[in-house]
Amino acid sequence: MVNDSLAVIPYSGEHIESYKVLVQSISDLIIVFTDLSTTLPGKIDSTKYKYLLQQNNQFDIVKIGISAEDNTINLRADLYKAGTNNILLKRVIEQVANVTNIIGGDFK
């Protein structure tokens, strides 16, 4: 736990040696995400945007987006606290981690 509203979970995978999944609580939402720009430094540029957008159709919970402020690429899932239990939260965290690793493999 970084603070009352942010947790950082370290992961490693077949394609990415080390990366972080962040879980943030904001108002009535839980946001689970990875920063692909940091996780895959130098591997994502504007030529990869179409591929990343297409991946939104491949996975059921996560979505990929680009920040308007600094062009960072995030892979994330948003959950309402009211409809979430520990089992669902664990599944979402694992899917964010797994999809991050899959995308990392595609960019090797």
Side-chain angles (χ1 to χ4, degrees), residues 27-63:
S27 188
D28 62 342
L29 286 176
I30 298 172
I31 302 169
V32 181
F33 66 100
T34 58
D35 178 348
L36 292 176
S37 300
T38 301
T39 302
L40 303 169
K43 295 189 178 187
I44 299 177
D45 58 30
S46 61
T47 65
K48 306 291 193 295
Y49 292 170
K50 180 178 178 183
Y51 161 83
L52 291 169
L53 186 59
Q54 290 169 335
Q55 296 316 296
N56 282 325
N57 258 350
Q58 300 300 316
F59 304 104
D60 59 350
I61 296 173
V62 300
K63 61 185 176 185

Side-chain angles (χ1 to χ4, degrees), residues 40-101:
L40 303 169
K43 295 189 178 187
I44 299 177
D45 58 30
S46 61
T47 65
K48 306 291 193 295
Y49 292 170
K50 180 178 178 183
Y51 161 83
L52 291 169
L53 186 59
Q54 290 169 335
Q55 296 316 296
N56 282 325
N57 258 350
Q58 300 300 316
F59 304 104
D60 59 350
I61 296 173
V62 300
K63 61 185 176 185
I64 300 168
I66 301 172
S67 168
E69 296 171 7
D70 58 6
N71 288 334
T72 56
I73 310 292
N74 289 301
L75 186 145
R76 67 186 263 179
D78 300 345
L79 304 161
Y80 285 104
K81 288 179 185 177
T84 302
N85 58 40
N86 288 340
I87 294 169
L88 177 60
L89 181 58
K90 181 180 178 192
R91 286 183 60 199
V92 170
I93 291 168
E94 289 173 351
Q95 184 168 20
V96 168
N98 289 336
V99 172
T100 299
N101 189 52

